Amino acid sequence: MNRIRTVAATSMVALIMGASMQSNAAAESTKDQVWAAELAFARTMAERDLKGFSGFVAEEAIFFAGTDVLRGRSRVVEGWSKYFVDSEAPFSWEPDQVEVLESGTLALSTGPVRDKQGSVVARFNSVWRLEAGGQWRVVFDKGSPPSPGPQR
């Protein structure tokens, strides 16, 4: 009887650990998707692609521009179009941390913003939402003063 209990308990632990590992793998995969989306979003600035930029912005997005609030994709694109005028990007950004809710539908990405010379001048904070068709789009975006990234 003890052997049956031991086998049953071992099987239960294996099932729980397997489900946990699958859940962790799914979370990492989702995190990788958001990370890749953020990098592609940043690349639109480097490549001077305002139309591509627009594709990463949710229809109902809110971007903070100092004390102004840009509501909706069209206003965000209009407000950011000035950053796409010159042949060289005025700044760049890249994530150093991405966190995703367990539901896998909402994520935060954050990282340094650099000027043309590569100096860190700010930190971006973007909230991403998984939309229809599996497309990740930014719903909130706000910069903040420079701060250190996550300690690894």
Side-chain angles (χ1 to χ4, degrees):
M1 190 64 149
N2 281 340
R3 176 150 169 72
I4 293 172
R5 284 187 184 146
T6 301
V7 168
T10 302
S11 297
M12 184 67 89
V13 168
L15 282 172
I16 292 169
M17 288 180 63
S20 175
M21 287 172 29
Q22 287 177 348
S23 176
N24 287 343
E28 285 303 312
S29 173
T30 304
K31 188 184 275 194
D32 290 344
Q33 290 174 14
V34 176
W35 197 288
E38 184 67 67
L39 290 173
F41 186 42
R43 198 167 36 256
T44 65
M45 175 65 73
E47 294 175 354
R48 321 308 295 131
D49 180 8
L50 184 60
K51 184 177 179 182
F53 172 89
S54 174
F56 287 98
V57 178
E59 190 62 44
E60 62 181 345
I62 295 176
F63 278 46
F64 294 85
T67 57
D68 292 334
V69 177
L70 305 173
R71 292 182 179 274
R73 179 185 294 149
S74 62
R75 291 278 297 130
V76 170
V77 172
E78 178 185 323
W80 275 65
S81 65
K82 64 186 173 197
Y83 301 124
F84 288 84
V85 173
D86 294 337
S87 61
E88 186 179 352
F91 56 87
S92 64
W93 71 91
E94 62 186 328
D96 62 13
Q97 186 173 15
V98 171
E99 295 298 332
V100 182
L101 291 180
E102 283 190 37
S103 66
T105 59
L106 204 62
L108 170 74
S109 63
T110 184
V113 177
R114 299 178 189 280
D115 63 16
K116 289 180 187 180
Q117 293 73 37
S119 298
V120 175
V121 295
R123 183 163 199 79
F124 77 88
N125 303 283
S126 299
V127 175
W128 292 79
R129 178 176 62 200
L130 184 60
E131 296 193 341
Q135 175 76 38
W136 284 96
R137 288 198 171 89
V138 179
V139 289
F140 288 100
D141 183 83
K142 185 171 186 174
S144 63
S147 63
Q151 303 301 310
R152 297 186 191 250

